[in-house]
């Protein structure tokens, strides 16, 4: 069998055939030629048989490794003139426009990026992490279905910090599917506004029945303006977060006070107790559990603060019916407002002010913990995207990992000749 015939069968390139092959600089260089006479614009479906000029563009794409070696496809592309997009080198079927990698290679790298950490992906694929970011943006543009908006009924809006609190992203999730359907830079009313004005298809905003969110004013304003019929719901998950933040404030104050005393060990205990206090008790390590026990024994404001946080968490644990939740929440607010810990007095007031929205979330069944699970997954993924160049690429990785997208590995697709399924 000739080497070119073998490679044609191995690579299975769409609309291209192998012309020659050589190994140089440790890489496998595969020269390919386009099979068709008509040229296609890379950015639309315009085709033509007329070349723009006689100049060829020498192009190359990194393909899946061959026998452990980096494999590069090379092709001399003709140039065409698209009435809409101007003069470009013709599109190829085996790579996305503007990419120096084949579609198969990008699909592999992006699939990995959604499953594992960045150094594994970089080392395994032999590419920089930033390159993966650009791939994510191309793959998401290719695979994310525009239909994901048509059946939206209950949605959730969240902000998340990207790159150590310097930048924020606003994310919209679909409560029915527990998937992220949209995101943008920023965390104000205008950021969410573009979802309603520029993204949603005609008529969808008017059909949205409920929007869950945190207790800040920005998203409320935007929903009131663009989807006034929607019920505003405050997610219990965000309510508990207020208590957790208040508890951390009390702990920091205790630590600051202890630091001014002579016994440095006490200060150290408070500093080290952060996770013991903030984690759910069922997730504590043995050491954290004993730290917590010691702090509770000491009592004082920190002990009371911890009990308040845990009591609030219990209200939303999911084992109470709506009426019990209402009653318990009222009691909790009374307790918080009498507790003489300023941070918790404030939380009590905030909860009372937002009571209608909190109860709406419970009665609509939006307080089911699924949202919290999705939120935790997003947090894990966003940390992976810190090294990306742009917020758009970080968003792309979130949508690929937590959105309505099915990623497939090359060769796993049904009719593919190498499929093993
Ligand atoms: Zn075009």
């Amino acid at each position: 069998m000739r080497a070119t015939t073998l490679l044609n069968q191995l690579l299975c390139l769409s609309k291209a055939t192998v012309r020659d092959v050589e190994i140089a600089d440790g890489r496998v260089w595969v020269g390919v030629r386009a099979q068709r006479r008509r040229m296609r614009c890379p950015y639309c479906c315009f085709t033509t048989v007329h070349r723009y000029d006689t100049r060829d563009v020498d192009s190359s794409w990194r393909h899946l490794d061959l026998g452990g070696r980096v494999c590069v496809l090379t092709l001399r592309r003709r140039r065409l003139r698209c009435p809409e997009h101007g003069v470009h080198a013709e599109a190829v079927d085996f790579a996305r426009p503007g990419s120096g990698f084949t579609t198969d290679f990008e699909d592999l790298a992006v699939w990995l990026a959604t499953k594992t950490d960045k150094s594994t992906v970089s080392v395994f694929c032999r590419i920089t992490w930033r390159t993966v970011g650009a791939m994510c943006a191309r793959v998401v543009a290719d695979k994310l279905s525009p239909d994901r908006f048509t059946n939206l009924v209950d949605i959730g809006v969240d902000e998340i910090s990207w790159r150590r609190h310097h930048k924020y992203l606003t994310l919209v999730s679909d409560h029915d599917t527990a998937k992220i359907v949209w995101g943008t830079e920023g965390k104000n009313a205008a950021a969410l506004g573009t979802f309603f004005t520029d993204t949603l298809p005609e008529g969808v905003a008017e059909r949205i029945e409920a929007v869950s969110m945190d207790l800040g004013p920005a998203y409320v304003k935007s929903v009131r303006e663009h989807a006034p019929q929607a019920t505003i719901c405050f997610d219990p998950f965000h309510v508990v977060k207020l208590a957790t933040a208040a508890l951390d404030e009390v702990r920091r104050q205790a630590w600051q006070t202890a630091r001014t005393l002579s016994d440095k060990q006490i200060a150290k205990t408070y500093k080290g107790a952060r996770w013991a206090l903030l984690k759910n008790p069922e997730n504590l390590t043995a050491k954290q559990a004993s730290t917590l026990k010691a702090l509770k024994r000491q009592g004082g404001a920190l002990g009371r603060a911890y009990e308040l946080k845990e009591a609030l968490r219990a209200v939303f644990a999911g084992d109470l019916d709506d009426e019990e939740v209402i009653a318990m929440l009222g009691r909790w607010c009374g307790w918080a407002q009498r507790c003489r810990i300023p941070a918790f007095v404030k939380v009590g007031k905030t909860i009372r002010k937002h009571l209608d929205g909190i109860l709406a979330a419970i009665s609509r069944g939006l307080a089911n913990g699924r949202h919290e699970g999705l939120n935790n997954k997003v947090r894990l993924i966003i940390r992976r995207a810190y090294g990306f160049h742009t917020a758009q690429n970080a968003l792309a990785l979130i949508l690929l990992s937590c959105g309505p997208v099915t990623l497939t590995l090359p060769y796993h697709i049904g009719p593919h000749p190498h499929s093993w399924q």
Side-chain angles (χ1 to χ4, degrees), residues 246-247 249-251 253 300-308 335-348:
L247 172 62
E249 197 182 317
V250 177
R251 180 197 59 87
Q253 279 164 0
L302 194 57
R304 287 206 313 282
Y306 182 79
E307 278 171 30
L308 276 158
W335 180 18
Q337 283 177 289
R338 286 190 311 271
C339 75
R340 301 188 312 276
I341 306 170
F344 275 89
V345 173
K346 203 171 140 205
V347 174

Side-chain angles (χ1 to χ4, degrees), residues 40-47 80-86 88:
R40 186 164 53 84
C41 169
Y43 303 103
C44 67
C45 53
F46 172 77
T47 62
L80 62 95
R81 188 189 162 84
C82 168
E84 200 186 328
H85 298 103
H88 284 288

Side-chain angles (χ1 to χ4, degrees), residues 135-200:
M135 285 180 182
C136 287
R138 281 190 292 269
V139 174
V140 92
D142 194 16
K143 302 216 167 180
L144 199 61
S145 158
D147 297 341
R148 66 193 187 279
F149 299 123
T150 39
N151 294 321
L152 289 181
V153 180
D154 292 344
I155 60 171
V157 191
D158 256 318
E159 61 173 56
I160 186 164
S161 65
W162 176 58
R163 281 193 177 169
R164 313 221 178 272
H165 307 283
H166 291 316
K167 290 179 179 166
Y168 285 88
L169 306 176
T170 292
L171 300 174
V172 172
S173 58
D174 179 350
H175 271 289
D176 290 336
T177 57
K179 302 266 185 205
I180 303 286
V181 291
W182 182 82
T184 191
E185 269 184 87
K187 57 165 183 171
N188 52 16
L192 181 59
T194 58
F195 173 68
F196 292 109
T197 54
D198 304 352
T199 316
L200 283 184

Side-chain angles (χ1 to χ4, degrees), residues 16-33:
T17 42
V18 175
R19 192 164 44 86
D20 52 40
V21 58
E22 63 170 337
I23 295 187
D25 309 327
R27 297 176 166 209
V28 184
W29 298 84
V30 181
V32 298
R33 106 166 41 90

